[in-house]
């Protein structure tokens, strides 16, 4: 039984979920940003995961999760009538970001739960290793 390989797999998942949490936080922080350096309103970021086959020196191969890419959501934002806004067009409407805070909060909760679950695996592996060392005494 090799506990280290299990921790290696889980570390990849922890890294992927941390990046997911960072992207969700960025989306929430920019939910009202109507002007970006690229021009136009902020575009919601979407993260994609993929399995990665990790070759081990011992001949066994393992699968872990990695981030395959971060892309912009192509859905249009909402047009809001606010003629006093500095980014309002000639008709008085402002294009808002395509960030839905309810969806982002759900993503935030699921990512944090996945992170906690993977962290629990690492803690259990550590506990098993300590128990194994105690048996060897």
């Amino acid at each position: 039984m090799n506990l280290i390989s299990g921790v290696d797999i889980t570390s990849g998942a922890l890294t992927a979920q941390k990046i997911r949490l960072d992207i969700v936080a960025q989306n929430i922080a920019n939910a009202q940003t109507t002007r970006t350096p690229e021009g136009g309103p902020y575009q919601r970021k979407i993260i994609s995961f993929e399995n990665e086959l990790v070759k081990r020196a011992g001949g066994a191969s393992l699968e872990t999760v990695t981030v395959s890419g971060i892309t912009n959501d192509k859905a249009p934002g909402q047009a809001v009538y606010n003629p006093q806004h500095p980014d309002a067009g000639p008709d008085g409407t402002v294009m808002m970001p395509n960030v839905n805070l309810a969806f982002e909060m759900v993503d935030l909760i699921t990512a944090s739960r996945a992170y906690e679950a993977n962290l629990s695996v690492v803690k259990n592996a550590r506990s098993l290793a300590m128990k194994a060392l105690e048996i060897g005494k």
Side-chain angles (χ1 to χ4, degrees):
M1 176 169 74
N2 188 355
L3 296 175
I4 301 299
S5 61
V7 172
D8 286 344
I9 293 169
T10 304
S11 70
L14 283 168
T15 302
Q17 291 302 328
K18 181 197 171 298
I19 294 170
R20 182 179 176 197
L21 286 167
D22 290 343
I23 294 300
V24 170
Q26 181 180 350
N27 287 340
I28 292 171
N30 289 296
Q32 298 296 317
T33 303
T34 57
R35 187 184 314 160
T36 61
E38 297 83 28
Y42 176 80
Q43 292 291 309
R44 177 178 182 255
K45 305 283 188 257
I46 301 172
I47 189 167
S48 302
F49 297 116
E50 69 180 358
N51 288 346
E52 181 181 334
L53 191 62
V54 178
K55 301 267 184 195
R56 305 279 301 180
S61 58
L62 307 169
E63 284 191 34
T64 189
V65 176
T66 59
V67 174
S68 64
I70 299 170
T71 58
N72 288 338
D73 187 356
K74 301 296 182 196
Q78 189 176 21
V80 175
Y81 181 74
N82 185 358
Q84 303 301 322
H85 196 282
D87 294 328
D91 59 350
T93 59
V94 179
M95 288 303 296
M96 298 301 290
N98 59 351
V99 177
N100 184 333
L101 289 178
F103 291 158
E104 297 302 324
M105 291 307 292
V106 169
D107 278 350
L108 183 68
I109 291 168
T110 57
S112 66
R113 297 279 190 236
Y115 190 89
E116 288 172 5
N118 284 303
L119 196 56
S120 177
V121 169
V122 172
K123 287 179 181 178
N124 287 337
R126 181 176 181 257
S127 175
L128 285 171
M130 294 304 290
K131 293 290 182 188
L133 288 174
E134 287 177 16
I135 290 172
K137 285 184 180 178

